[in-house]
Amino acid sequence: MLAAMPDSAPSPLSSGGTSPRDGGDACPGTLRLHRADDGALARVRIPGGVLSADRADALLAVAGRFGDGELHLTSRGNVQLRGLDAECGGGPAELLGAAGLLPSAAHERARNIVASPLAGLDGSPSLGGWLSELDSLVCGSAAAAALSGRFLFALDSGRGDVDALGADVTLIAEGGDCLLRVGAADEVFRLPSADGPRAALLAAELFLRAARDSGAWRVKDLPDDVRTALVRAVGATAGPVVRRPRPRTAEAPAPGAVTAPNSSTPATKTTTTTATTTAISVGVPLGRLAPAQWRLLTETARRYGNELRLTPWRGIVIPGPFGPPEPSTQSAQSEPSTRSGRSGRAAEALDALAAAGLITGPDSPWTGVGACVGHPGCAKSLSDVRAEAGAAVGPVGRLPVYWSGCERRCGHPHGEWIDVVVTPEGHRISHVRGEHRNPRAVVRNDPAALASAVSEARA
C-alpha cells in the first residue's frame, strides 16, 4: 500500500502497487482521501471524462450521502467529492465500485487519461477504441500500479486540444495512423493506430524504470539526460520519427451546439453538405455543480444519448443525436421559445441548462474564468478566491483567467492565460505563455482595482 502523507488518509479498502519514490504518492483518489478544511476529499478518475448517465447518478448519490452534495470538475476531466466525513470509511468506494467506476483498486489513481471531448462529434476521429483499450491495459499492468497520481496520458483526435495539456504520454490521431509523444518532445513517433494504446503503456512502463533513481513523478521531472534516454528507448520500440512541436494553446470546446458535416448527404459539384448537431457543450462556472445542475445534465444525457463527457476545461459535452436545426413553428405574434434565435432540440436543451446557471454561449461573463477551491476549503489558501473571481467577473476576455489562493496554483490551465495568485503583498497578475511568465501587476486589497486590472489583462 502506498504510504500515507500527513494530509491524506487511506480508506480501509485501499490497496495498490508500491511506489519507487520515498514518501509515497499523496495524490488523492477514492481509496485514499485528502484532508481539507471542509472535510475529506475524494478524487474519482473518469478516463477520457466519459460517463454514462447511470454512473453519473452514482457519483451524485455518493456526494449526497457522504459529502456536501456538490460535484467539482477538475482540470483533468475528473470529479472531486468534497466535505466527506472523515469516518466514512470504505462507503464511497463500495458504491463507486458497484457502479463500475473503480475497476482496479491497485490502479485507481493511475487511470489518468484525458481525451479530446469532441472526438467523433465534430468530424474528427472517434477515440472510444483507444480509450477503452488503454484503460484496460493500464489496469492489467502490474508495473502501471506504481504510476504517480500525477502521471497523465492524453488521447488527441488531431485537433491539438489535449496535446497542449502537457501530458506525459500523448497519442495523436493522424489519418489511419497515430503519433506518440513522450513528454514535451518535439519529435514524435508514427505507428499504426491499432498499436497506439500498447505503445503508450510501454512508454509509461519505461518511464517508471527511468524514474527509479531520480524519484521523478512525471516525465518533465526527469533530469535532461535521463529524459532524452527515455525518448530514445521509446523510439527503439516505435515507428519513424516525425517532428511535430506541441501546440501552445489548449482550446476548450466552445459552449453551445456542436455540429459536423452530415455524411449521409455528401457534397457534389452542385450541392453542399448539410450540418447536423451532434452534441451540446456547456461550461460550469468554477467547475462547481450543485445537485440540481448535475441531475439536469444527467437527465439531458439520458434523453439524447446517455453519455456525458467531462472536459479538462471544467465543462461538459453531451453527445446527441440532436439532428439538424428545426424550423420554428411559432407564429410571428408569439414569443420565441429559445434564446438568440436558436431552435430545435439542441436549443431546447441548452436553454434549460442556461436557466440552471450553466454556460451555454460565448457571451457569458463566466467564460474562461477558473479558480482553485480557495478559503475556507483549503487551509493553504490566503483568501476566498472563488468569491473574488465572482466579484471580478466582467466582460468576456480574449484570454482565460485562473485565480489561485496560494503559490501552488492547483488546477491551473495550460497554454496562454492570465494567472491571478494571492500573495501576502496582494494579488499578483501575470500573463503566462507556456513556460514563460510576464509579471503584470500586484493589486493590494482593492476589489474595484483588482477587477479592472484582471479585465485589462484579459483583453
Side-chain angles (χ1 to χ4, degrees):
M1 182 174 72
L2 297 176
M5 296 296 282
D7 61 351
S8 63
S11 157
L13 295 183
S14 181
S15 63
T18 301
S19 171
R21 305 156 188 82
D22 294 337
D25 180 9
C27 201
T30 56
L31 301 180
R32 184 183 298 276
L33 307 183
H34 173 83
R35 296 192 186 106
D37 271 21
D38 57 352
L41 175 154
R43 183 175 299 158
V44 186
R45 267 64 176 191
I46 313 292
V50 177
L51 273 176
S52 67
D54 287 346
R55 289 180 176 177
D57 285 339
L59 283 167
L60 181 61
V62 173
R65 179 174 174 181
F66 298 103
D68 62 9
E70 296 185 333
L71 297 102
H72 303 258
L73 306 186
T74 77
S75 59
R76 292 184 167 189
N78 294 320
V79 172
Q80 287 188 163
L81 310 177
R82 303 190 66 94
L84 277 69
D85 186 339
E87 305 301 321
C88 65
E94 289 176 1
L95 291 183
L96 295 171
L101 289 163
L102 189 59
S104 170
H107 298 81
E108 63 110 358
R109 290 183 297 167
R111 301 172 68 226
N112 288 308
I113 307 173
V114 295
S116 298
L118 298 183
L121 301 174
D122 62 349
S124 63
S126 173
L127 300 176
W130 274 2
L131 179 59
S132 59
E133 183 179 357
L134 179 58
D135 189 29
S136 177
L137 287 170
V138 169
C139 290
S141 167
L147 287 172
S148 157
R150 301 168 177 83
F151 193 92
L152 181 64
F153 296 94
L155 307 180
D156 193 291
S157 66
R159 302 179 75 248
D161 51 359
V162 298
D163 186 18
L165 294 181
D168 298 281
V169 177
T170 303
L171 289 181
I172 308 162
E174 185 174 85
D177 296 332
C178 72
L179 305 177
L180 171 65
R181 188 191 306 280
V182 179
D186 287 345
E187 290 74 26
V188 298
F189 305 101
R190 184 183 300 279
L191 61 159
S193 180
D195 296 341
R198 191 164 296 279
L201 174 65
L202 177 59
E205 292 176 339
L206 289 172
F207 160 78
L208 287 171
R209 296 178 193 174
R212 284 173 181 165
D213 295 331
S214 67
W217 295 113
R218 303 194 60 192
V219 170
K220 67 180 181 180
D221 301 328
L222 292 170
D224 290 346
D225 59 335
V226 177
R227 186 168 57 250
T228 299
L230 168 63
V231 174
R232 289 175 179 167
V234 173
T237 66
V241 175
V242 178
R243 181 174 175 79
R244 181 161 175 164
R246 169 172 277 166
R248 295 185 58 181
T249 303
E251 294 187 7
V258 178
T259 60
N262 189 342
S263 59
S264 64
T265 57
T268 67
K269 291 183 178 180
T270 57
T271 64
T272 58
T273 55
T274 59
T276 184
T277 301
T278 56
I280 57 174
S281 173
V282 299
V284 179
L286 302 181
R288 186 176 183 177
L289 286 157
Q293 292 174 315
W294 186 266
R295 197 173 293 112
L296 177 60
L297 286 161
T298 304
E299 291 170 353
T300 304
R302 187 171 277 116
R303 183 178 307 121
Y304 292 105
N306 203 44
E307 180 180 285
L308 301 96
R309 298 185 185 182
L310 316 182
T311 80
W313 300 274
R314 296 181 175 87
I316 296 181
V317 170
I318 299 177
F322 291 90
E326 299 172 1
S328 174
T329 58
Q330 293 183 318
S331 65
Q333 290 76 26
S334 63
E335 291 293 326
S337 61
T338 58
R339 295 181 178 87
S340 305
R342 300 184 303 203
S343 62
R345 290 179 295 175
E348 179 184 356
L350 287 166
D351 286 345
L353 294 167
L358 298 173
I359 302 167
T360 63
D363 56 344
S364 168
W366 283 104
T367 299
V369 179
C372 71
V373 68
H375 186 77
C378 176
K380 293 182 173 63
S381 179
L382 300 180
S383 70
D384 184 351
V385 287
R386 288 190 171 187
E388 292 173 341
V393 162
V396 179
R398 181 182 69 87
L399 295 175
V401 58
Y402 194 81
W403 298 68
S404 300
C406 72
E407 294 287 356
R408 296 189 306 166
R409 297 154 62 236
C410 295
H412 68 77
H414 292 265
E416 187 178 8
W417 48 288
I418 299 302
D419 187 33
V420 182
V421 180
V422 185
T423 71
E425 293 74 33
H427 290 72
R428 186 186 69 234
I429 304 173
S430 305
H431 185 170
V432 178
R433 297 180 181 88
E435 300 299 320
H436 303 285
R437 179 181 300 273
N438 178 25
R440 291 289 299 264
V442 174
V443 179
R444 303 174 184 273
N445 302 322
D446 185 337
L450 178 61
S452 176
V454 170
S455 179
E456 180 182 352
R458 297 185 68 195

